[in-house]
Amino acid sequence: MTASNAFNFFEYHAQISQDNVLLSYKGPLTDVLLAEFSRDIRTKLQSNRKVGKKVFAIFMELAQNVLYYSKEVNYFGNKDKVGTLVITQSDKYFTLITGNLVYKSSVPLLIEKCEIVNSLDREALREYKRTLRNAPSEEESRGAGIGLVQVALTSDNRIEMKIKELQGDYAFFVISVNVEKNAADDNEE
Amino acid sequence: MENLEIKGESGVYFIPNVKLNAQSGVCEISGESYLEDTSEFYNAINNWLEQYFKEVNKSLTFNFRLTYFNTSSSRSILDVLRVLKKYEEKGSQVTVNWYYPEDDDSIAEEAEDYMKDTGLKINMFSFEPED
């Protein structure tokens, strides 16, 4: 029992050492860190410029969401928001995953936003983005909502959302999105 | 009237190059836009434009040559275009050119969407981005 419950550092190290993990971070997030990560992503993906730019742009929106909205705070230093950022790759996809704490009370709205985004085709998504952009920005929302719509537009894929309820007022909120490596030029309408 | 020039840089944030020229009436924003205070940055551009149309009011050409901007910047760009539209409707001669990287469909789509939002005519041109 102890063996399976204990954190297996060797296993963890083996997993993140594989080529398929481009970025794996859990901890306090700052704008400085985010800039460094984004530069690292661009450098690593510069051989596939078009797709690299998509991964970069999606990373920026998702990571900014974590930076603004995470309800987990590191009380050392500057009370930075805490979150988890992961980018992996398979033969076909880059996958971006972010995780952070949210209030349980925000969960229904997050699920609803995600379901709306996934129900829309490209034209409808553009329309929806325009509607959100034309509306006066909400109090707590530095352009969020639009961020998710933009992620769906840029990735040309569904946004997967997972929520794990924790004890107390919080839930762990995970967003995952795939970007195809060989994005065919199929955007011409 | 003074020109407005901002030298772009890529550090913790990505600041675009801005060149607003009151003598020639040619304005350009280029590079990447991801800013600490997006509204403040673009308000400076809007204030300059307001002053230009009030004091100089010759024809004006605005060239957008951005290779990346986040959604927060995209809101502010819409505000710039709205200012341009406002003065076009008042009779000023306004030309808007939108240069998009040839390998980036989404920046081209943005221009189409801005046209729908503002009713401004936006001329679209692709360009080959440099590294």
Side-chain angles (χ1 to χ4, degrees):
Chain A
M1 277 314 274
T2 27
S4 63
N5 285 338
F7 179 70
N8 190 327
F9 185 81
F10 293 108
E11 215 166 81
Y12 170 74
H13 184 260
Q15 196 172 5
I16 62 167
S17 301
Q18 285 171 21
D19 282 339
N20 61 11
V21 178
L22 294 175
L23 172 75
S24 171
Y25 178 81
K26 180 197 185 291
L29 270 180
T30 63
D31 41 17
V32 175
L33 263 180
L34 207 152
E36 286 305 318
F37 290 151
S38 74
R39 256 183 272 281
D40 187 48
I41 292 164
R42 286 215 259 206
T43 309
K44 281 179 175 158
L45 302 184
Q46 61 191 347
S47 61
N48 191 344
R49 182 187 186 111
K50 190 169 179 173
V51 176
K53 193 170 175 186
K54 285 188 178 194
V55 172
F56 161 78
I58 292 167
F59 175 81
M60 293 298 282
E61 294 298 334
L62 291 180
Q64 282 165 58
N65 272 349
V66 177
L67 187 64
Y68 298 150
Y69 302 125
S70 177
K71 297 302 176 204
E72 185 178 354
V73 175
N74 178 14
Y75 280 97
F76 295 105
N78 301 317
K79 297 193 178 171
D80 296 319
K81 303 289 178 62
V82 174
T84 303
L85 309 171
V86 175
I87 304 178
T88 63
Q89 62 174 326
S90 64
D91 292 344
K92 286 185 177 163
Y93 302 108
F94 291 105
T95 303
L96 295 97
I97 309 164
T98 61
N100 59 275
L101 291 191
V102 297
Y103 287 128
K104 275 180 187 163
S105 55
S106 326
V107 167
L109 188 63
L110 287 167
I111 292 175
E112 191 195 324
K113 278 187 177 174
C114 191
E115 280 174 352
I116 292 173
V117 167
N118 285 337
S119 72
L120 301 175
D121 66 14
R122 189 166 189 86
E123 277 311 298
L125 270 175
R126 283 172 70 178
E127 191 78 35
Y128 185 47
K129 177 179 152 190
R130 288 179 42 224
T131 310
L132 291 174
R133 190 163 60 189
N134 278 309
S137 40
E138 307 149 49
E139 217 347 73
E140 208 205 353
S141 120
R142 296 204 238 176
I146 296 193
L148 270 193
V149 178
Q150 188 60 50
V151 166
L153 278 168
T154 309
S155 67
D156 257 322
N157 263 314
R158 290 173 57 82
I159 294 171
E160 302 295 336
M161 188 176 276
K162 287 193 178 121
I163 286 146
K164 186 176 181 186
E165 301 242 331
L166 305 174
Q167 285 182 340
D169 295 334
Y170 298 99
F172 192 66
F173 169 65
V174 176
I175 285 183
S176 157
V177 63
N178 288 336
V179 181
E180 258 150 85
K181 281 188 169 176
N182 298 309
D185 288 331
D186 52 6
N187 284 341
E188 274 100 72
E189 266 97 340
Chain B
M1 183 185 165
E2 300 260 316
N3 297 335
L4 178 65
E5 291 207 13
I6 299 167
K7 177 97 181 71
E9 63 173 57
S10 169
V12 175
Y13 295 94
F14 309 144
I15 302 169
N17 288 296
V18 176
K19 283 184 184 168
L20 311 182
N21 191 310
Q23 286 75 51
S24 64
V26 176
C27 302
E28 175 159 305
I29 180 166
S30 62
E32 301 187 314
S33 179
Y34 154 61
L35 301 152
E36 182 167 25
D37 192 333
T38 314
S39 320
E40 185 184 276
F41 186 90
Y42 283 92
N43 277 343
I45 295 176
N46 288 334
N47 292 339
W48 187 95
L49 289 170
E50 294 276 355
Q51 196 191 350
Y52 178 86
F53 286 115
K54 278 170 192 147
E55 293 180 10
V56 182
N57 203 18
K58 290 187 292 192
S59 65
L60 183 132
T61 301
F62 208 115
N63 300 317
F64 291 87
R65 199 186 288 269
L66 293 164
T67 52
Y68 167 74
F69 48 91
N70 66 351
T71 48
S72 177
S73 300
S74 103
R75 263 183 200 276
S76 288
I77 292 167
L78 178 59
D79 292 336
V80 172
L81 293 167
R82 283 190 174 129
V83 171
L84 295 173
K85 179 64 182 175
K86 180 174 83 179
Y87 285 98
E88 188 200 47
E89 279 179 347
K90 287 184 178 176
S92 302
Q93 204 192 331
V94 175
T95 307
V96 180
N97 299 319
W98 186 271
Y99 298 85
Y100 60 95
E102 63 183 5
D103 58 357
D104 197 322
D105 306 327
S106 63
I107 293 188
E109 282 182 356
E110 292 277 4
E112 296 168 10
D113 291 348
Y114 283 135
M115 277 193 262
K116 282 190 195 164
D117 282 330
T118 60
L120 261 179
K121 180 177 184 298
I122 300 177
N123 307 307
M124 292 169 62
F125 307 95
S126 68
F127 70 97
E128 205 177 318
E130 314 148 29
D131 281 300

